[in-house]
């Protein structure tokens, strides 16, 4: 999905047409910023993260794929989850530290910490993109995002409709 090789996944189908102009780390980042800017989506992402220990970057990547009409197999989803274990540990520890230090920091210092956390988020998205380049995609398969929510906790499935709010047109 890096947009440079013209192929995506092991099956070599090529860059999906709806993602053709945005199949880059920056394209994913821009999609995430736009999608996450919806208050309902943001709140659902934070619930997924804080209540169900889900990964927001993975959820947004899966929403991006779903918006383009693609899904993943259980095996591919497991590979994506495995690929970010190290970066998720780092991000989680940093996020806790930032939250703990917030009362002691000036607004400017806190903003610098938030900006660095965004850098870590971008790095994690690059890890996800590198992994997904090795995975086969399925057209019009079951929702990988809904599957992911259910894997975290069956109760997390209620977040799926909100996580996909406003899709179908953001990547076109």
């Amino acid at each position: 999905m890096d947009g440079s090789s013209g192929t995506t996944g092991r099956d070599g189908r090529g860059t999906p047409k709806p993602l053709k102009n945005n199949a880059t780390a920056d394209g994913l980042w821009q999609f995430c910023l736009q999608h996450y800017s919806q208050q309902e989506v943001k709140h659902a992402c934070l619930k997924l993260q804080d209540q169900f220990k889900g990964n927001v970057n993975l959820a947004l990547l899966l929403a991006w794929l779903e918006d383009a009409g693609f899904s993943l197999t259980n095996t591919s989803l497991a590979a994506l989850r495995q690929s970010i274990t190290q970066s998720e540990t780092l991000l989680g520890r940093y996020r806790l530290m930032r939250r703990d230090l917030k009362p002691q920091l000036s607004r400017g210092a806190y903003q610098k910490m938030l900006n660095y956390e965004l850098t870590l988020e971008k790095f994690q998205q690059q890890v996800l993109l590198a992994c997904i380049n090795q995975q086969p995609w399925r057209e019009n398969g079951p929702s990988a995002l809904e599957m992911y929510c259910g894997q975290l906790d069956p109760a997390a499935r209620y977040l799926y409709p909100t996580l996909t709010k406003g899709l179908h047109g953001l990547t076109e």
Side-chain angles (χ1 to χ4, degrees), residues 27-70:
L28 174 59
W29 184 253
Q30 293 306 315
F31 170 87
C32 292
L33 289 176
Q34 184 178 2
H35 194 53
Y36 191 83
S37 71
Q38 298 176 75
Q39 283 302 322
E40 301 95 334
V41 173
K42 178 180 180 177
H43 291 302
C45 285
L46 293 175
K47 278 186 182 179
L48 187 81
Q49 174 183 282
D50 296 339
Q51 188 175 344
F52 298 105
K53 307 300 181 218
N55 182 281
V56 172
N57 281 315
L58 178 54
L60 291 171
L61 171 74
L62 296 174
W64 190 45
L65 291 175
E66 187 163 324
D67 189 45
F70 290 88

Side-chain angles (χ1 to χ4, degrees):
M1 246 171 39
D2 65 8
S4 61
S5 66
T7 62
T8 304
R10 285 192 304 246
D11 59 1
R13 280 194 225 165
T15 305
K17 187 173 183 183
L19 294 177
K20 192 165 193 137
N21 296 325
N22 294 324
T24 63
D26 187 56
L28 174 59
W29 184 253
Q30 293 306 315
F31 170 87
C32 292
L33 289 176
Q34 184 178 2
H35 194 53
Y36 191 83
S37 71
Q38 298 176 75
Q39 283 302 322
E40 301 95 334
V41 173
K42 178 180 180 177
H43 291 302
C45 285
L46 293 175
K47 278 186 182 179
L48 187 81
Q49 174 183 282
D50 296 339
Q51 188 175 344
F52 298 105
K53 307 300 181 218
N55 182 281
V56 172
N57 281 315
L58 178 54
L60 291 171
L61 171 74
L62 296 174
W64 190 45
L65 291 175
E66 187 163 324
D67 189 45
F70 290 88
S71 185
L72 300 170
T73 64
N74 274 324
T75 303
S76 295
L77 184 54
L80 285 169
R81 291 180 75 175
Q82 178 62 35
S83 76
I84 57 172
T85 54
Q86 189 173 16
S87 62
E88 186 59 19
T89 299
L90 176 64
L91 254 169
R93 288 179 180 165
Y94 186 83
R95 195 175 289 123
L96 283 174
M97 180 181 69
R98 175 186 51 78
R99 289 176 180 169
D100 287 346
L101 292 175
K102 184 178 182 178
Q104 305 165 33
L105 297 173
S106 68
R107 180 178 283 181
Y110 186 72
Q111 188 59 49
K112 285 181 182 179
M113 290 191 81
L114 279 173
N115 291 342
Y116 184 71
E117 188 173 333
L118 287 176
T119 300
L120 294 175
E121 298 276 1
K122 283 183 178 182
F123 172 76
Q124 187 174 70
Q125 286 187 358
Q126 291 171 356
V127 170
L128 285 166
L129 286 171
C131 180
I132 206 167
N133 275 329
Q134 305 304 312
Q135 306 304 315
W137 296 23
R138 298 182 344 191
E139 290 188 56
N140 303 316
S143 169
L145 178 55
E146 187 173 17
M147 189 171 28
Y148 175 57
C149 290
Q151 287 174 358
L152 293 171
D153 187 315
R157 284 186 194 265
Y158 85 93
L159 294 171
Y160 171 73
T162 307
L163 291 169
T164 57
K165 183 179 174 89
L167 290 184
H168 309 297
L170 288 178
T171 59
E172 292 176 4

